[in-house]
Amino acid sequence: AQSVSQHNHHVILSEAASLELGCNYSYGGTVNLFWYVQYPGQHLQLLLKYFSGDPLVKGIKGFEAEFIKSKFSFNLRKPSVQWSDTAEYFCAVSGATNKLIFGTGTLLAVQP
Amino acid sequence: EPEVTQTPSHQVTQMGQEVILRCVPISNHLYFYWYRQILGQKVEFLVSFYNNEISEKSEIFDDQFSVERPDGSNFTLKIRSTKLEDSAMYFCASDRGNSNQPQHFGDGTRLSIL
């Protein structure tokens, strides 16, 4: 069955700390991978996506993610978080059809 | 940048009533989607719609649910005989259908069933 696992449900960091959020997926065939962010009271926004090519993808606001096919992983990273990064982060996968399968999300709280 | 818009932002309905959630996808997008997020749970796919018909639906999307594109701009989700467990955030999304184009999401409608 298709699924996405996010290991960290709630992460608390101080400003300037480095961030890595784990994401593993289970999906047969070619996959497209996404990270979406949901700031408080706002809609889901695309942070970055991987469709093909360079497995290290860079997104908005200094975020990046690395697709490691052998590990079925697509972890999100940011070298130095800011208070404004406080939000919920969702990893998602799609395949032959465009429907997105989401992980359970990670709540990130950045303390000033 | 064009956005997906959803109305209303919050809908409160008595159990057993019918509700219609409305969405205006981005104008040059061809695929439309509904997702829902029950409080504290993950975002779940409900249905995708293309060329005036359902292209895929999840097991959640049973006979209680229907979708429609009544005119050239709106995309609606109808829930009949609402139940308490239908309370959730409902998100509409759209994309161009190309494999390398991401979906754009609306702000969501919070549906509360009393």
Side-chain angles (χ1 to χ4, degrees), chain B:
Chain B
E1 183 178 321
E3 294 183 345
V4 176
T5 57
Q6 289 185 242
T7 54
S9 56
H10 193 182
Q11 174 79 44
V12 181
T13 300
Q14 291 289 328
M15 187 171 57
Q17 297 297 304
E18 174 183 286
V19 295
I20 297 176
L21 309 183
R22 291 182 166 78
C23 169
V24 179
I26 294 173
S27 61
N28 62 352
H29 285 185
L30 301 176
Y31 282 79
F32 315 120
Y33 309 83
W34 283 102
Y35 294 82
R36 80 172 183 190
Q37 185 181 26
I38 295 172
L39 187 64
Q41 299 185 26
K42 67 170 74 174
V43 177
E44 303 172 289
F45 168 78
L46 292 178
V47 66
S48 58
F49 191 86
Y50 170 72
N51 199 26
N52 282 320
E53 59 183 32
I54 292 172
S55 52
E56 187 172 1
K57 60 182 181 179
S58 71
E59 59 188 24
I60 302 168
F61 195 88
D62 59 20
D63 292 343
Q64 186 192 3
F65 295 87
S66 62
V67 289
E68 192 178 28
R69 189 156 163 81
D71 53 42
S73 59
N74 288 284
F75 177 52
T76 62
L77 174 68
K78 182 189 289 187
I79 310 175
R80 289 178 283 273
S81 299
T82 50
K83 300 174 282 193
L84 293 175
E85 53 265 40
D86 294 327
S87 295
M89 197 76 172
Y90 288 81
F91 293 103
C92 175
S94 69
D95 65 30
R96 294 178 187 172
N98 300 335
S99 61
N100 61 350
Q101 294 294 318
Q103 291 175 27
H104 294 254
F105 283 81
D107 287 340
T109 293
R110 181 170 298 284
L111 177 62
S112 300
I113 307 299
L114 304 179

Side-chain angles (χ1 to χ4, degrees), chain A residues 71-108:
Chain A
K71 295 185 178 181
F72 300 93
S73 70
F74 190 57
N75 292 354
L76 180 71
R77 298 194 292 251
K78 185 171 182 178
S80 176
V81 295
Q82 301 171 316
W83 177 79
S84 57
D85 293 323
T86 295
E88 190 159 17
Y89 293 81
F90 294 91
C91 182
V93 63
S94 71
T97 68
N98 283 355
K99 75 174 184 184
L100 289 170
I101 298 167
F102 285 87
T104 49
T106 298
L107 267 172
L108 171 65

